[in-house]
């Protein structure tokens, strides 16, 4: 019968190393988190290593990694298994990246529900996005409607959305 090695001394050494140079350790973990992110989302735009900086800040502050995603309408009338699978994949990805670098606060997703974007493109039935909102919230995600975000940011949306064209947008 094989015996498990006693790793308590090794764990204590790692803990002491982290305590002695938390910036260095956070930087290494942030780089690892970014590599995992890049494997999942190959075409991510990351000017100035902003993703690594955000990961590092979360690690040092003991706060969850924060991710955001845009959810559009596209003329879909109702949820289906693809929507559930995609949102579940996002949650699982966040949990996986946190676990891979040992980040105990975990991760959190926010969805921007693109009602204005859909309306500009001629979609007026918001039922689908309301369903997405309910599902996302049941999975622990935050949601915000694009129209609310615009209002919060003091961005004016024309009353007549048909006045918006690709040439003027």
């Amino acid at each position: 019968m094989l015996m498990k090695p006693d790793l308590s001394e090794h764990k204590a050494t790692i803990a002491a190393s982290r305590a002695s140079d938390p910036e260095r350790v956070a930087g290494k973990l942030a780089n690892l988190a970014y590599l995992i992110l890049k494997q999942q989302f190959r075409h991510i735009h990351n000017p100035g290593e902003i993703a690594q900086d955000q990961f590092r800040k979360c690690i040092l502050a003991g706060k969850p990694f924060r991710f955001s995603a845009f959810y559009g309408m596209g003329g879909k009338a109702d949820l289906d298994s693809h929507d559930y699978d995609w949102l579940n994949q996002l949650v699982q990805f966040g949990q996986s990246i946190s676990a891979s670098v040992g980040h105990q606060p975990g991760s959190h997703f926010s969805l921007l529900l693109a009602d204005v974007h859909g309306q500009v493109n001629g979609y007026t039935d918001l039922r689908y996005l309301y369903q997405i909102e309910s599902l996302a919230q049941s999975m622990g995600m935050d949601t915000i409607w694009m129209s609310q975000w615009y209002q919060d940011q003091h961005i004016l949306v024309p009353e007549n959305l048909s006045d918006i064209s690709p040439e003027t947008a």
Side-chain angles (χ1 to χ4, degrees):
M1 182 160 141
L2 294 174
M3 295 183 58
K4 281 187 169 181
D6 181 10
L7 298 177
S8 58
E9 186 176 320
H10 180 64
K11 288 179 181 178
T13 303
I14 291 172
S17 172
R18 284 185 176 181
S20 68
D21 195 354
E23 282 282 343
R24 182 171 162 258
V25 172
K28 286 185 175 191
L29 292 175
N31 286 335
L32 176 59
Y34 177 71
L35 289 174
I36 296 166
L37 176 70
K38 184 96 172 140
Q39 285 176 345
Q40 181 72 22
F41 302 101
R42 288 176 182 77
H43 302 291
I44 191 169
H45 183 65
N46 186 31
E49 297 187 342
I50 192 170
Q52 292 94 319
D53 188 50
Q54 291 302 310
F55 284 132
R56 185 186 58 75
K57 287 177 181 176
C58 288
I59 291 166
L60 290 170
K63 294 186 176 182
F65 294 146
R66 302 234 7 127
F67 299 99
S68 299
F70 177 95
Y71 219 101
M73 295 171 61
K76 237 177 139 175
D78 291 298
L79 284 177
D80 60 27
S81 63
H82 298 289
D83 297 302
Y84 176 82
D85 290 346
W86 174 241
L87 292 178
N88 191 52
Q89 184 179 353
L90 290 177
V91 171
Q92 294 299 317
F93 169 72
Q95 291 171 348
S96 171
I97 199 168
S98 298
S100 295
V101 298
H103 188 58
Q104 293 302 319
S107 62
H108 190 77
F109 266 92
S110 297
L111 286 185
L112 178 65
L113 302 169
D115 57 331
V116 173
H117 183 264
Q119 290 166 341
V120 166
N121 287 299
Y123 303 109
T124 57
D125 185 358
L126 298 178
R127 179 182 54 209
Y128 172 68
L129 284 182
Y130 280 111
Q131 294 170 1
I132 292 294
E133 177 183 44
S134 179
L135 178 59
Q137 289 175 350
S138 76
M139 298 171 99
M141 295 182 184
D142 291 332
T143 58
I144 186 167
W145 291 84
M146 182 180 271
S147 55
Q148 180 63 51
W149 185 81
Y150 276 13
Q151 185 178 352
D152 293 349
Q153 301 303 313
H154 307 288
I155 298 171
L156 298 177
V157 177
E159 296 228 1
N160 184 356
L161 292 176
S162 64
D163 288 345
I164 299 175
S165 70
E167 295 80 31
T168 61

